[in-house]
Amino acid sequence: MTNRPALPPEIARRRTFAIISHPDAGKTTLTEKFLLFGGAIQMAGQVRAKGEARRTRSDFMKMEQDRGISVSASAMSFDYRTFRFNLVDTPGHSDFSEDTYRTLTAVDAAVMVIDGAKGVESQTQKLFEVCRLRDLPILTFCNKMDRESRDTFEIIDEIQEMLAIDVTPASWPIGVGRDFLGCYDLLNDRLELMDRADRNRVAESIEIKGLDDPRLAEHVPAALLEKLIEEVEMARELLPALDRQAVAEGTMTPIWFGSAINSFGVKELMEGIGAYGPEPQPQAASPRQIAPEEPKVVGFVFKVQANMDPKHRDRVAFVRLASGHFTRGMKLLHVRSKKPMAVTNPVLFLAADRELAEEAWAGDIIGIPNHGQLRIGDTLTEGENLRATGIPSFAPELLQTCRAGDPMKAKHLEKALMQFAEEGAAKVFKPSIGSGFIVGVVGALQFEVLASRIEMEYGLPVRFEPSQFTSARWVLGDKMAVEKFAAANKQHMASDNDGDVVFLTRLQWDIDRVGRDYPDVTLSATKEMMV
């Protein structure tokens, strides 16, 4: 496919991917089943099942467990057959989309989960656009086929139309809703039957020699069999055949059908990820690209999670290794501060459980516990001055003023807010005039999450109050021009947690006015993280 050298076997067996979907399409349930089949957990939980024993492994925050939604991306590594899967579960809720955008910079492929009854939903479309920008290969899983769902051709048409991508069926459902029996595996000519009695059992496969094999009739009722043969013939005529190159380029997606809660179709999807998912890919960086086969270690931070363990006030930086073979205790250069950093206790994640990572390879995601040295966008290398690029930070869409319930605790509040700003959970702006902080987020639910986390993790009750400003823009330009601009617009100026100059606006008119009156400064709605 390319003239790049073959990867060392240990790196070539890595598959690093994210799961994206609209909330409630069954993403967390699918993650659980991956872990079950990878042998990482013995019994899969349900997001809303009863009792502590059945809590899902990937939603570890108290709020996630109470509400049955995922609000922070979590990473998990496990083996399946000869492959090593690094799976990143992303929040489906649109209020946390920024976390998801950043996560997609750290993976080589995405698994898109679609609800069989609802088809492509708004959030799926937004996330898909991000994958498109990065040319990520996409594999699709159509979930909840055991409930009343839409016609298979209709689902495929909708994906092709709404997402402008070719779809090729990797399996075909037999029956729908109550009559859903299983799938016909088009890639391997196998019949896969679903076991409704035991949700944690892997479906049985029956080898079939094509659709005219008489043994099919033993397992599938005549009416369903007739429909299956007719539909598969149509699908083979009308839909493109699987083309490995097109999948790798992100212009075609294979689709599997199944029911994650019944453990059905998951195994085929995992085999598909192994067979068609990409090996670790080169990473964009400046001044040059980083290839995974390079012997020296390079990694970049795409997420920081504070207080994963509330007892220890720890902060874990999630690092995607872009090249090399990392071993525990290695000294790496922290490029932003130009200081060496010994990585003595790196962890591999299995959701909230972690184990010490003795070694890791390009493609893996490791966690580095630290006390605030590492921030999103930081690069760690074996000495070379490289910076990973393309990790975005977006202008917040909602701004509120934050005050501590107890005025004596303002200092503590500042510390807590700075921590969340470095984690990427919110933008924190310090206005040039007046006291207090202005907190900016992408979605309203984030204010609730912040308030509950500040209270739980720092014991500080806080109030969020409406702010007179509605949005924020980073001010870019020549130093003299920026200073002149700031001096003339003092009541609008603030600085973010990196000390960069920010212009707070009330109306679109403010932004237009700046463009007119100050041609030598630019207001930007995004900034590259921590350059």
Side-chain angles (χ1 to χ4, degrees), residues 284-352:
S286 105
R288 63 176 186 84
Q289 203 182 33
I290 306 159
E293 66 274 7
E294 289 175 28
K296 293 208 157 162
V297 171
V298 179
F300 64 94
V301 180
F302 65 93
K303 173 186 166 63
V304 174
Q305 180 73 49
N307 307 341
M308 272 176 90
D309 182 347
K311 292 198 263 312
H312 294 295
R313 277 251 180 278
D314 64 340
R315 305 175 53 171
V316 176
F318 286 65
V319 175
R320 154 79 198 236
L321 292 180
S323 67
H325 176 205
F326 167 86
T327 50
R328 187 175 146 206
M330 230 177 192
K331 270 206 165 51
L332 295 175
L333 172 74
H334 179 225
V335 176
R336 179 169 52 88
S337 67
K338 309 202 171 23
K339 289 185 182 145
M341 189 175 172
V343 186
T344 47
N345 49 357
V347 290
L348 278 176
F349 298 102
L350 192 92

Side-chain angles (χ1 to χ4, degrees), residues 29 131 432 508:
T29 309
C131 297
S432 316
Q508 181 61 37

Side-chain angles (χ1 to χ4, degrees), residues 18-19 27-28 31 58-59 70 72-76 87-91 103:
I19 299 192
K27 191 172 42 174
T28 304
T31 307
S58 58
D59 290 347
S70 304
S72 73
S74 52
M76 289 150 245
L87 177 156
V88 187
D89 181 23
T90 60
T103 301

Side-chain angles (χ1 to χ4, degrees), residues 262-282:
N262 289 305
S263 307
F264 182 76
V266 179
K267 181 172 92 263
E268 291 71 37
L269 174 63
M270 290 172 85
E271 282 166 13
I273 294 168
Y276 302 104
E279 309 174 324
Q281 296 295 303

Side-chain angles (χ1 to χ4, degrees), residues 97-259:
S97 51
E98 194 171 341
D99 200 13
T100 308
Y101 289 132
R102 283 200 290 266
T103 301
L104 290 173
T105 59
V107 295
D108 301 311
V111 171
M112 178 165 72
V113 185
I114 285 177
D115 182 326
K118 295 178 185 153
V120 179
E121 295 173 86
S122 57
Q123 187 59 21
T124 319
Q125 213 164 348
K126 265 167 92 176
L127 293 170
F128 180 83
E129 291 305 319
V130 182
C131 297
R132 186 37 73 71
L133 289 172
R134 302 186 52 80
D135 291 329
L136 279 182
I138 291 179
L139 309 171
T140 306
F141 183 69
C142 185
N143 193 16
K144 306 194 179 181
M145 293 307 290
D146 57 324
R147 305 193 186 169
E148 289 311 319
S149 59
R150 289 157 48 180
D151 176 65
T152 312
F153 281 108
E154 216 180 285
I155 294 170
I156 291 177
D157 280 351
E158 184 174 286
I159 297 172
Q160 287 190 344
E161 269 170 43
M162 287 182 73
L163 305 178
I165 189 168
D166 290 330
V167 181
T168 178
S171 68
W172 200 265
I174 304 170
V176 69
R178 275 207 184 131
D179 303 331
F180 180 66
L181 288 183
C183 284
Y184 186 73
D185 182 340
L186 294 168
L187 302 179
N188 306 306
D189 272 328
R190 282 194 308 226
L191 181 64
E192 307 284 348
L193 295 179
M194 184 168 92
D195 181 356
R196 281 179 186 263
D198 182 355
R199 285 184 160 173
N200 284 342
R201 247 187 67 194
V202 181
E204 56 174 318
S205 316
I206 297 154
E207 289 284 342
I208 299 285
K209 304 274 184 293
L211 283 167
D212 39 15
D213 189 320
R215 282 192 315 171
L216 262 173
E218 295 168 24
H219 301 283
V220 183
L224 287 177
L225 181 58
E226 194 179 325
K227 188 169 178 232
L228 170 73
I229 292 171
E230 186 186 328
E231 284 185 347
V232 169
E233 275 171 7
M234 270 170 70
R236 283 185 167 150
E237 284 292 308
L238 299 171
L239 296 170
L242 185 64
D243 171 357
R244 202 178 268 277
Q245 177 75 21
V247 173
E249 287 167 1
T251 58
M252 171 184 276
T253 175
I255 182 166
W256 283 264
F257 293 87
S259 158

